[in-house]
Amino acid sequence: MVDVDISGAEAFFTKAGPDYADAAQAHRTLTDATGEGAEYTGWLQLPQKIKENELHQILNAAQKIRSRSGALVVIGIGGSYLGAKGAVELLQPVPGKGNPKIFFVGNGLSVDYINQVLDEVRDTDFDVNVISKSGTTLEPAVAFRIFRSLLKEKYGANARKHIIATTDASRGVLRTLASEENWESFVIPDDVGGRYSVLSAVGLLPMAVAGIDIKAVLGGAIEEFSSLDSRSPSNPAWKYAATRQHLYRQGRTIEFLASYEPSFRYMAEWWKQLFGESEGKGGIGIFPAYVEYSADLHSMGQYIQDGPRVLMETVVEFAASQTRLSVPFEMGNPDRLNYLAGWDMDDICKTAAKAVRNAHISGNVPNLRITVPQRNEEGLGALFAFFELSCAISAYMSGVNPFNQPGVEAYKRNMFRMLGKPFEPTGSRR
Ligand code: PA5
């Protein structure tokens, strides 16, 4: 289970401390479905309610791709790709022997990047998993048209067998196309928004293709959701949500997540979207940022230690490393490092982490620690569940709807007008 240690933040609390009564109320609002956006709380039951036949279909599709293709191109943006990318980077940063390469496109508009991926897959067998709930998002839609055209060039009439669509059950152009073209497809449930969808086919199919044991991920999430159902200030989700809200109210407007694992980088991107899009609205919200230690101590360390005191730091740690590696002894001690000879690298890392924590606390940066037992499937599932629940509680505590994103539309309106998109009446399916 995910553990939260707030002892490094306590010195920064007011006498009242984190408001656990408010956390309890927010938790009730969420689970009783009485708050704004209650129609989008289906993610709370995603892992336990996934149907056996859907899980089978996902595993079969993944097996088919793994056995016949050298690559899977996952097309999606925001909540339609970050969770899967975070999972793959965390657990399979380098594809294992025989595993297809996973490419993520449609999450930007860079022509050079698209061309680079086209070049990578042109001479290999590949499949496409296009993921879009609305089916209308420009970036994935354009990328899909481009990769569809390559599939047609490569496989002719059989191109359709290399496309899997993950989209709404009945609405949107992608669903219409999937039905007309007879593509295999998966459903993003109506009551689950993009950034909370990682434990549906949205995240599970790419993970399974990458060789991640998705049953174990779901198992980790089920266990975590169940233990986080406890209604008590010792609930780690309450501790995290209530502490960050308490600190925010005292001017800590920026929370940076930190990790000592380079493979955590895209999990942090997923976390940034989850919290940024859920909380940043109506003129309020903690700004979520990420730093990678110890690398960023040599670039951002100065600012963290000594810049404006508006920061709070949340460090994600894995209790046990998966491998061991000790520093060798060297005769003559030419580099003066023999004082570390025999130390395991993970022990050096954990010692450095303690030193950093103490320095930051004494530099007036409240510190929270989130510990996950292991960097494995169960740990990954637990992290998804923990952050989703904490985020919804925290957003309700701050008085906003955690499940909408009205601000995202502004750039789209401008962009579509400037690109000359024809007007489509509301409710149009094409
Ligand atoms: O959290 C969200 O809802 C967004 O990040 C969406 O996932 C993102 O904008 C992509 O939308 P869609 O899946 O409709 O293409």
Side-chain angles (χ1 to χ4, degrees):
M1 183 181 172
V2 172
D3 184 50
V4 174
D5 172 10
I6 57 169
S7 61
E10 279 163 357
F12 305 87
F13 291 170
T14 63
K15 208 161 166 227
D19 190 345
Y20 289 111
D22 198 18
Q25 177 59 47
H27 199 170
R28 254 195 317 275
T29 302
L30 177 69
T31 50
D32 294 353
T34 51
E36 270 191 281
E39 64 279 24
Y40 291 108
T41 50
W43 52 271
L44 277 164
Q45 282 90 37
L46 264 183
Q48 51 280 42
K49 283 212 172 150
I50 188 160
K51 295 199 174 70
E52 200 51 43
N53 60 351
E54 186 182 2
L55 202 51
H56 256 101
Q57 197 197 339
I58 294 172
L59 290 166
N60 285 344
Q63 191 42 43
K64 184 174 66 188
I65 295 168
R66 287 171 61 78
S67 60
R68 75 177 180 198
S69 287
L72 172 70
V73 177
V74 179
I75 301 179
I77 195 165
S80 288
Y81 96 103
L82 280 169
K85 173 124 176 149
V88 172
E89 296 279 321
L90 186 73
L91 298 184
Q92 297 280 347
V94 179
K97 199 164 175 281
N99 282 352
K101 289 185 185 163
I102 314 284
F103 295 100
F104 291 91
V105 301
N107 50 60
L109 293 166
S110 158
V111 57
D112 290 347
Y113 177 67
I114 292 177
N115 270 323
Q116 193 185 316
V117 179
L118 284 169
D119 287 346
E120 292 264 7
V121 299
R122 192 165 275 118
D123 298 324
T124 181
D125 281 310
F126 75 97
D127 290 274
V128 165
N129 179 203
V130 55
I131 308 171
S132 176
K133 185 164 186 193
S134 63
T136 56
T137 311
L138 179 80
E139 294 90 335
V142 176
F144 183 38
R145 181 183 275 210
I146 292 167
F147 279 86
R148 213 158 66 231
S149 146
L150 179 61
L151 282 175
K152 281 184 195 150
E153 208 177 281
K154 215 173 157 78
Y155 298 111
N158 281 332
R160 65 165 198 83
K161 296 187 182 155
H162 289 264
I163 296 173
I164 298 176
T166 307
T167 187
D168 189 88
S170 57
R171 284 175 300 236
V173 68
L174 194 53
R175 174 53 60 196
T176 311
L177 276 173
S179 311
E180 286 175 2
E181 305 283 331
N182 208 9
W183 299 330
E184 178 161 18
S185 69
F186 292 95
V187 168
I188 309 175
D190 279 347
D191 55 1
V192 178
R195 58 189 174 276
Y196 292 84
S197 68
V198 64
L199 296 173
S200 72
V202 169
L204 295 175
L205 177 60
M207 284 187 230
V209 175
I212 293 171
D213 177 353
I214 58 171
K215 286 190 177 169
V217 174
L218 290 170
I222 290 171
E223 206 180 302
E224 186 69 18
F225 272 131
S226 139
S227 56
L228 293 179
D229 200 38
S230 106
R231 310 292 160 131
S232 132
S234 64
N235 181 330
W238 287 23
K239 277 205 233 174
Y240 181 44
T243 301
R244 60 199 295 288
Q245 284 301 327
H246 182 65
L247 294 169
Y248 176 65
R249 283 165 201 163
Q250 294 161 66
R252 303 288 171 167
T253 53
I254 298 173
E255 176 185 14
F256 62 95
L257 200 69
S259 167
Y260 288 80
E261 283 299 331
S263 61
F264 193 76
R265 184 174 292 177
Y266 272 90
M267 282 299 287
E269 291 300 320
W270 171 82
W271 169 89
K272 271 164 62 179
Q273 185 204 354
L274 181 68
F275 280 80
E277 230 171 46
S278 299
E279 293 191 318
K281 52 195 70 163
I284 62 166
I286 298 167
F287 185 85
Y290 177 61
V291 288
E292 186 181 308
Y293 290 160
S294 63
D296 286 341
L297 291 170
H298 298 259
S299 56
M300 297 299 290
Q302 171 60 37
Y303 189 103
I304 294 167
Q305 191 71 41
D306 217 12
R309 301 299 76 190
V310 292
L311 306 174
M312 59 179 118
E313 172 179 58
T314 301
V315 182
V316 177
E317 289 177 356
F318 295 92
S321 62
Q322 287 168 340
T323 54
R324 310 293 289 171
L325 178 65
S326 62
V327 177
F329 174 81
E330 202 171 316
M331 210 52 141
N333 198 15
D335 49 8
R336 308 274 186 276
L337 275 181
N338 273 354
Y339 73 99
L340 288 176
W343 274 68
D344 189 87
M345 281 302 296
D346 195 45
D347 295 331
I348 296 177
C349 184
K350 295 221 157 57
T351 306
K354 273 188 205 143
V356 172
R357 180 171 188 261
N358 292 343
H360 288 175
I361 294 170
S362 63
N364 197 358
V365 179
N367 177 281
L368 292 85
R369 282 172 69 215
I370 293 175
T371 308
V372 191
Q374 273 217 308
R375 187 163 63 89
N376 60 9
E377 274 86 349
E378 288 80 5
L380 174 72
L383 267 178
F384 282 136
F386 167 76
F387 277 132
E388 286 179 348
L389 188 78
S390 308
C391 179
I393 292 176
S394 178
Y396 274 140
M397 286 181 78
S398 73
V400 300
N401 175 352
F403 308 116
N404 65 0
Q405 53 283 329
V408 182
E409 293 311 310
Y411 100 89
K412 291 187 190 167
R413 273 194 302 274
N414 285 349
M415 178 179 69
F416 284 137
R417 184 173 37 77
M418 290 164 80
L419 289 172
K421 182 180 180 181
F423 170 77
E424 284 179 9
T426 317
S428 164
R429 291 179 146 222
R430 305 292 314 246

